[in-house]
Amino acid sequence: CRLDIEWEKRDEVPKMTKLVIIKVTMNGADVEKKERIEHAFQLATEYCSVFQTLSKVAEMKYEVAFE
C-alpha cells in the first residue's frame, strides 16, 4: 500500500489549505476484495478525526487504485 497526498493552498488570506487529495495505491491486493478494501478506506475517512477536522476548512478527496 502506498499513500500519496497532494494539496492546494488558497490564494486569498488566510492562506489555508483549499483541497487535499489522498491517493492510495494497492499493490498485489486480491482483486476479489476490491470492494471491501474501498469500503474500509471510506469508513476510515469517515471516522478519522484528522480527516474530519481538515474537511471543515478544505475539500477532502481520496482515490483508491489497484496495481
Side-chain angles (χ1 to χ4, degrees), residues 4-22:
D4 294 305
I5 301 173
E6 298 177 3
W7 66 91
E8 183 180 323
K9 288 183 95 174
R10 298 180 194 280
D11 292 329
E12 60 274 355
V13 177
K15 292 193 175 222
M16 302 175 82
T17 303
K18 176 181 177 180
L19 171 67
V20 177
I21 304 172
I22 302 170

Side-chain angles (χ1 to χ4, degrees), residues 3-66:
L3 288 169
D4 294 305
I5 301 173
E6 298 177 3
W7 66 91
E8 183 180 323
K9 288 183 95 174
R10 298 180 194 280
D11 292 329
E12 60 274 355
V13 177
K15 292 193 175 222
M16 302 175 82
T17 303
K18 176 181 177 180
L19 171 67
V20 177
I21 304 172
I22 302 170
K23 296 183 177 184
V24 180
T25 305
M26 302 295 292
N27 292 315
D30 187 351
V31 178
E32 293 178 8
K33 295 182 181 176
K34 180 179 177 181
E35 286 183 29
R36 293 174 121 188
I37 293 169
E38 289 173 339
H39 182 68
F41 198 83
Q42 183 267 326
L43 287 174
T45 60
E46 193 174 307
Y47 291 102
C48 174
S49 61
V50 175
F51 190 95
Q52 292 302 314
T53 300
L54 288 174
S55 72
K56 304 296 185 225
V57 295
E59 180 181 359
M60 302 291 289
K61 295 182 179 182
Y62 67 89
E63 301 170 359
V64 180
F66 294 84

